[in-house]
Amino acid sequence: MANFNTHLNTAFMVSGTLSLTVYKAGLVDDSGFLMCVALGTIGGLLPDLDSDNSTPIKLGFNITSFIFAFGLVMHWRSELSLLSLIVLWLAGYCFMRYTVFAVFTNMTVHRGVIHSVPYMAILGLGLTCLSYYVLQLPLTASWFYGLFLFGGALVHLLLDEVYSVNLSNMKMKRSSGTAMKFYQHKDKWWYLLIYTVLAMLLYLTPPFEPFWQQLRDPAPWAQLKVGILPDIVEDMLRERP
């Protein structure tokens, strides 16, 4: 399968190109452009959350542990002494980094249900709902954020499938078919739960039709077409006989 750097660089390039496209079309603003790039890149690392020794899971749990410990200290800062806050900080960090991490890694298997298309769809739709209903972000931005996260994850899964082909003799490796999957019979009960959650999210997601109508509007794409080439190149093309 593809390594960490391949996933990171490919997801960044794909999400960066698509983000620039929708930004130049006027569909997202400056902050939306940066968020789309970041979320697409993060999405390109998400499927490896089920790998016990992967860089994304270690980095993710380190960051989560720091945030969790910081949140505990901020919540109790006015009620506890300095020494108690230090103990709370260390206890909170160690609990997340070692206890929760150990439970998570023992419950997950690499290229299991997490490493699948419907699971990544849940994360993308979940982000869309969170952005729209909780963070009160605009409809267009909320859908773009969820789609870029999901799109980055699809890039990851596709890369793993491509790397499962031995191009030297055009044979399929043993890992073929374990990356971009929608169902595995041995995990049928997990997939039943996943598709149930996915159906609920599809029901709860913000309206898609206005977002789709905005994408189908020819005006933004006409604006993009005008500025697709540098002015000097467009002048040269117009001057050609």
Side-chain angles (χ1 to χ4, degrees):
M1 63 179 180
N3 58 28
F4 173 79
N5 287 332
T6 301
H7 285 308
L8 178 66
N9 293 330
T10 305
F12 175 75
M13 288 187 292
V14 172
S15 62
T17 301
L18 294 177
S19 299
L20 274 174
T21 301
V22 296
Y23 173 70
K24 289 294 290 183
L27 296 173
V28 295
D29 57 14
D30 295 352
S31 61
F33 160 69
L34 295 176
M35 282 297 297
C36 286
V37 176
L39 290 170
T41 305
I42 292 172
L45 305 177
L46 280 180
D48 275 347
L49 287 177
D50 59 0
S51 178
D52 297 354
N53 298 314
S54 72
T55 301
I57 185 61
K58 291 180 178 178
L59 179 62
F61 263 96
N62 278 331
I63 295 174
T64 303
S65 300
F66 279 120
I67 295 175
F68 180 74
F70 179 77
L72 289 177
V73 170
M74 292 302 295
H75 180 75
W76 297 100
R77 67 186 184 280
S78 60
E79 302 178 27
L80 298 178
S81 64
L82 175 60
L83 181 59
S84 299
L85 288 174
I86 293 174
V87 173
L88 182 64
W89 174 283
L90 294 175
Y93 175 82
C94 292
F95 172 74
M96 285 297 298
R97 180 61 182 85
Y98 299 105
T99 304
V100 177
F101 178 75
V103 172
F104 181 84
T105 54
N106 286 331
M107 290 181 62
T108 57
V109 179
H110 186 42
R111 292 210 173 185
V113 295
I114 291 179
H115 206 281
S116 66
V117 175
Y119 194 94
M120 293 299 115
I122 287 176
L123 296 182
L125 289 174
L127 179 59
T128 297
C129 292
L130 175 68
S131 300
Y132 186 73
Y133 293 119
V134 179
L135 301 180
Q136 301 291 306
L137 297 179
L139 179 68
T140 301
S142 299
W143 272 111
F144 269 129
Y145 292 167
L147 288 173
F148 268 88
L149 186 74
F150 177 62
L154 285 185
V155 170
H156 178 114
L157 299 177
L158 181 60
L159 277 174
D160 280 349
E161 284 295 349
V162 170
Y163 273 73
S164 69
V165 179
N166 189 338
L167 296 178
S168 60
N169 52 15
M170 297 305 294
K171 291 184 178 180
M172 307 299 291
K173 299 179 182 179
R174 293 179 59 186
S175 59
S176 178
T178 63
M180 185 171 284
K181 57 183 178 292
F182 294 84
Y183 175 79
Q184 277 188 317
H185 186 69
K186 65 184 181 72
D187 296 319
K188 57 183 178 181
W189 298 115
W190 280 112
Y191 277 100
L192 176 61
L193 176 61
I194 286 174
Y195 279 109
T196 301
V197 174
L198 184 59
M200 293 173 58
L201 283 173
L202 286 171
Y203 177 76
L204 294 172
T205 48
F208 183 75
E209 185 62 25
F211 173 71
W212 179 242
Q213 290 296 334
Q214 190 173 10
L215 289 183
R216 295 180 60 186
D217 186 357
W221 307 114
Q223 174 183 330
L224 177 66
K225 185 177 179 181
V226 171
I228 197 169
L229 295 174
D231 292 341
I232 186 173
V233 176
E234 291 184 350
D235 293 338
M236 293 174 60
L237 292 175
R238 282 196 293 266
E239 292 175 359
R240 290 181 61 183

